Amino acid sequence: MAPRFASVLAVALAGSHLAFAQNPDDTAEAHPKLTTYKCSKAGGCVAQDTSVVIDWNYHWFHTADWLSCTTASGAINTTLCPDEATCARNCFVQGDTNYTANGVTTSGDTLTMYQYTKNSDGAYQNASPRLYLLGSDGNYEMLQLNGKELTFTVDLSQLPCGENGALYLGEMDKTGGRSQYNQGGANYGGGYCDAQCPVQNWRNGTINTSGAGYCCNEMDILEANSKAISFTPHPCTDADCDRNGCGFNPYSQGYKSYYGPGGTVDTTKPFTVVTQFNTNDGTASGTLTSITRKYLQTGVVVASANTGGDTLTSEMCNTLDSGAAAFGGLATSGKALARGMVLTFAIWNDVTGYMNWLDTGSNGPCSTTEGDPSLIIQNNPTTHVVFSGIRWGDMGSTFSSGSGSGTTTVKVGTTLTTSKASTATASTKVTTTTKTSSTSSAVGPAQTHYGQCGGKGWTGLTACVSPYKCVVSND
Ligand SMILES: *[C@@H]1O[C@H](CO)[C@@H](O)[C@H](O)[C@H]1NC(C)=O
Ligand SMILES: *[C@@H]1O[C@H](CO)[C@@H](O)[C@H](O)[C@H]1NC(C)=O
Ligand SMILES: *[C@@H]1O[C@H](CO)[C@@H](O)[C@H](O)[C@H]1NC(C)=O
Ligand SMILES: *[C@@H]1O[C@H](CO)[C@@H](O)[C@H](O)[C@H]1NC(C)=O
């Protein structure tokens, strides 16, 4: 499962830059830096110059006259966007210059994501950010994890029933669908796809004219709150995906006190999640045969839920999920992991199903109604997730089961860096109002910013202030 957008969020114009779909200004989007680490047995963990980018749909699309390219219902205006070329000519994607306003902050190797943000009037509004890991070249960082492992620390203590703090991989296009009609690409969070084959306004960075969904391999590493946890491979063929996936959840396997507040994995404190993608021959090109999950807390590996260990094998996957085999099961997921997948972070809740599939009934201890977002915003408006120390590489290179309390030690080159997941204060009851979307009161473009600077019969200014350039788009 993955979050869905109810509507496109409009963002404030003040102080921001513009990017014309055909001439994007890459400095416009202010990507928060997030250090991650690539590890090998020989070289230890080396810090990567990475950042996060918010999904394309969180951006504002507008004409040169500052009219929205989306309609009141959140669809794309088909007069402005009847086809890819016309849409690219008429509509601009505005860079996001303030991720804090989207509920996202980073510091070093720590990423904090809030479900709600507070307005200036004190009311909370839905933010529910979704982010991708971006490399320093403006393309997505492609994680090749077949035969490798991925490790990170997470603090889920502030996520109640119904919330989902997610870290997963999707086989998106490395460039975010960058093309002649979308030169922003990954820099603007383009190209989202997943195993639910979402039908979106945009497909791979350009306008969806066919109405087709956009399917791709998805590997859910973590979908969790303080009460329930699951990891789920979702393999795809060209036509469709295993939408259910073979979810691995200790509670549904009968280990009901393993995970949760005060559990064997105690969610009142941060813990470290290790995921190992084991191949038949131990190489990065072998066939994926199983996935092993380990948890570390206070620096030591927590005993696994059952004596067989927390390993999901191909056989278990096919048993847990009758749909898996038709899509080639774990072997198909392994091929996607070998090609490379995009690391995705999200915090979301679910107005229709209250996330019951994750944490109620046989999957967790939550009631079927407490995940209602209208209760969450009342009782836990500051709900948030903290990810830190994200590292991947050779088996056994990303963690060690040493000592330490609440800290993760990461070897960076020859130096040791210690990252401590931030702790957050518990939320108190705050009366809130929901706000679904905000429309910005657009002021006319000034030539100093992004105004008309030429064209047939034009007698106005023909130059723009630095750093902007006058670019021909049409007569
Ligand atoms: C589409 O855009 C045009 C031009 O800005 C506008 O006149 C029209 O009202 C818009 N349609 C919708 C449904 O918003
Ligand atoms: C960014 O957004 C936050 C939250 O809305 C606000 O407090 C802050 O002033 C904004 N920063 C800038 C530079 O606009
Ligand atoms: C996505 O867009 C890129 C750039 O145009 C292209 O190379 C790639 O094939 C596209 N992928 C899909 C699945 O359409
Ligand atoms: C995208 O696809 C959906 C589903 O077919 C359709 O309703 C919608 O109009 C499409 N949007 C655009 C802009 O093509």
Side-chain angles (χ1 to χ4, degrees):
M1 291 289 284
R4 291 283 159 270
F5 296 100
S7 64
V8 172
L9 302 180
V11 294
L13 294 175
S16 54
H17 304 255
L18 288 176
F20 187 32
Q22 292 177 330
N23 295 291
D25 171 1
D26 285 353
T27 61
E29 181 97 7
H31 302 125
K33 289 275 183 199
L34 178 68
T35 302
T36 55
Y37 308 91
K38 266 188 197 168
C39 307
S40 65
K41 274 193 190 138
C45 293
V46 178
Q48 306 292 304
D49 180 14
T50 42
S51 58
V52 288
V53 57
I54 198 161
D55 181 82
W56 180 258
N57 286 285
Y58 290 75
H59 292 79
W60 193 42
F61 298 89
H62 61 87
T63 66
D65 294 332
W66 300 91
L67 297 170
S68 181
C69 289
T70 42
T71 66
S73 68
I76 297 298
N77 184 320
T78 49
T79 310
L80 295 166
C81 287
D83 56 67
E84 294 182 349
T86 311
C87 189
R89 236 179 359 255
N90 286 337
C91 293
F92 300 74
V93 55
Q94 184 178 39
D96 188 336
T97 58
N98 188 351
Y99 274 64
T100 308
N102 291 113
V104 176
T105 57
T106 63
S107 170
D109 69 2
T110 301
L111 165 67
T112 305
M113 299 171 78
Y114 286 83
Q115 175 73 46
Y116 302 106
T117 55
K118 207 174 189 174
N119 284 334
S120 50
D121 63 5
Y124 286 91
Q125 66 176 0
N126 198 29
S128 195
R130 183 167 72 206
L131 308 170
Y132 312 113
L133 188 66
L134 193 65
S136 55
D137 64 352
N139 290 321
Y140 295 127
E141 184 76 34
M142 301 304 284
L143 275 65
Q144 294 178 294
L145 295 178
N146 201 41
K148 310 273 181 187
E149 68 185 22
L150 170 71
T151 295
F152 58 92
T153 296
V154 66
D155 184 345
L156 292 158
S157 61
Q158 302 304 311
L159 290 182
C161 292
E163 280 294 320
N164 188 336
L167 183 151
Y168 60 105
L169 297 156
E171 196 177 10
M172 290 163 64
D173 180 66
K174 178 183 167 71
T175 71
R178 190 175 286 119
S179 71
Q180 59 173 320
Y181 301 131
N182 164 28
Q183 290 185 16
N187 269 321
Y188 292 81
Y192 185 71
C193 55
D194 66 35
Q196 304 304 318
C197 305
V199 176
Q200 307 164 102
N201 286 336
W202 309 90
R203 189 179 186 282
N204 199 20
T206 51
I207 188 77
N208 139 33
T209 47
S210 70
Y214 192 11
C215 306
C216 67
N217 283 287
E218 175 182 342
M219 176 66 70
D220 296 334
I221 306 283
L222 178 89
E223 293 190 282
N225 54 41
S226 61
K227 301 289 182 67
I229 190 164
S230 174
F231 74 86
T232 312
H234 290 275
C236 299
T237 59
D238 286 343
D240 202 356
C241 297
D242 178 13
R243 300 186 188 204
N244 283 334
C246 44
F248 190 95
N249 171 334
Y251 190 97
S252 61
Q253 289 169 26
Y255 303 99
K256 298 193 173 175
S257 59
Y258 183 65
Y259 178 91
T264 313
V265 176
D266 181 3
T267 58
T268 62
K269 291 178 263 178
F271 57 94
T272 297
V273 181
V274 180
T275 310
Q276 298 177 313
F277 298 99
N278 310 304
T279 58
N280 62 338
D281 59 4
T283 72
S285 55
T287 302
L288 183 69
T289 49
S290 66
I291 302 173
T292 301
R293 167 58 52 89
K294 294 182 199 297
Y295 298 104
L296 283 80
Q297 207 155 22
T298 59
V300 295
V301 176
V302 175
S304 60
N306 61 61
T307 49
D310 285 342
T311 294
L312 175 69
T313 63
S314 309
E315 294 73 27
M316 279 173 73
C317 195
N318 293 347
T319 307
L320 284 167
D321 167 25
S322 57
F327 295 93
L330 284 193
T332 300
S333 296
K335 286 179 189 152
L337 287 165
R339 287 189 294 265
M341 297 177 86
V342 176
L343 188 59
T344 305
F345 310 91
I347 179 170
W348 61 293
N349 54 31
D350 174 6
V351 288
T352 50
Y354 301 166
M355 213 71 75
N356 282 346
W357 62 270
L358 175 65
D359 57 21
T360 70
S362 60
N363 297 322
C366 301
S367 83
T368 55
T369 50
E370 63 189 310
D372 180 346
S374 66
L375 296 176
I376 295 172
I377 195 171
Q378 273 174 41
N379 300 327
N380 299 87
T382 64
T383 180
H384 61 276
V385 60
V386 186
F387 296 106
S388 62
I390 299 155
R391 46 208 193 267
W392 65 94
D394 293 345
M395 289 293 183
S397 71
T398 66
F399 71 101
S400 62
S401 187
S403 58
S405 59
T407 58
T408 321
T409 305
V410 180
K411 190 165 167 260
V412 184
T414 53
T415 57
L416 282 173
T417 319
T418 301
S419 83
K420 187 162 193 152
S422 58
T423 49
T425 46
S427 58
T428 48
K429 278 204 177 189
V430 179
T431 308
T432 59
T433 57
T434 24
K435 192 168 175 213
T436 47
S437 69
S438 58
T439 37
S440 52
S441 47
V443 289
Q447 277 74 359
T448 52
H449 193 162
Y450 202 95
Q452 186 175 351
C453 56
K456 227 173 200 167
W458 177 251
T459 55
L461 297 171
T462 56
C464 310
V465 298
S466 175
Y468 307 109
K469 286 191 192 127
C470 192
V471 182
V472 177
S473 58
N474 54 50
D475 287 349

